[in-house]
Amino acid sequence: QVQLGESGGGLVQAGGSLRLSCAPSGSIFSINVMGWYRQAPGKQRELVAQITTGGRTNYADSVKGRFTISRDNAKNTVYLQMNNLKPEDTAVYYCRVEAAMYAGWGQGTQVTVSS
């Protein structure tokens, strides 16, 4: 089973930036959508951003204008550039990949924004 590996989380002050990356451990064919979700303590997991193979993007209202999702189709890698981070962005961030014969989650990476 292909696993998704995330990196780039950490501790940052409010107003700072982080870049998350997610890459699979093996080949995934016919990827449709790649995305990022997050889950804060005591809250449900929510969509942050997603991107289709054709490059169409969708963002949560709370991150529009601050976060940018991108992907490298050749590497099946998805990125999340997070700028102007706020304390309310603190959460575990999970990548998600949906393909014709695969759907999976990463293990999660912690993002903590201090005020």
Side-chain angles (χ1 to χ4, degrees):
Q1 178 75 354
V2 173
Q3 296 185 348
L4 302 175
E6 298 140 337
S7 61
L11 173 64
V12 65
Q13 289 187 332
S17 298
L18 287 173
R19 187 182 191 227
L20 305 182
S21 300
C22 173
S25 60
S27 297
I28 302 176
F29 300 99
S30 302
I31 292 178
N32 296 318
V33 179
M34 306 181 81
W36 290 94
Y37 290 71
R38 66 186 181 188
Q39 187 167 19
K43 295 188 177 181
Q44 291 187 332
R45 191 173 297 189
E46 63 175 1
L47 174 68
V48 176
Q50 59 184 185
I51 183 168
T52 68
T53 302
R56 188 169 62 224
T57 58
N58 180 39
Y59 294 93
D61 287 343
S62 59
V63 307
K64 284 180 180 177
R66 301 187 297 120
F67 291 10
T68 302
I69 190 170
S70 61
R71 61 189 281 179
D72 183 332
N73 288 331
K75 297 179 180 179
N76 283 343
T77 299
V78 62
Y79 306 95
L80 186 68
Q81 178 66 43
M82 305 184 293
N83 297 329
N84 190 22
L85 282 159
K86 303 177 180 181
E88 51 264 42
D89 295 318
T90 295
V92 178
Y93 284 70
Y94 299 89
C95 75
R96 170 75 174 172
V97 172
E98 297 177 4
M101 298 295 289
Y102 174 89
W105 294 93
Q107 81 284 358
T109 185
Q110 177 70 46
V111 171
T112 302
V113 184
S114 63
S115 57

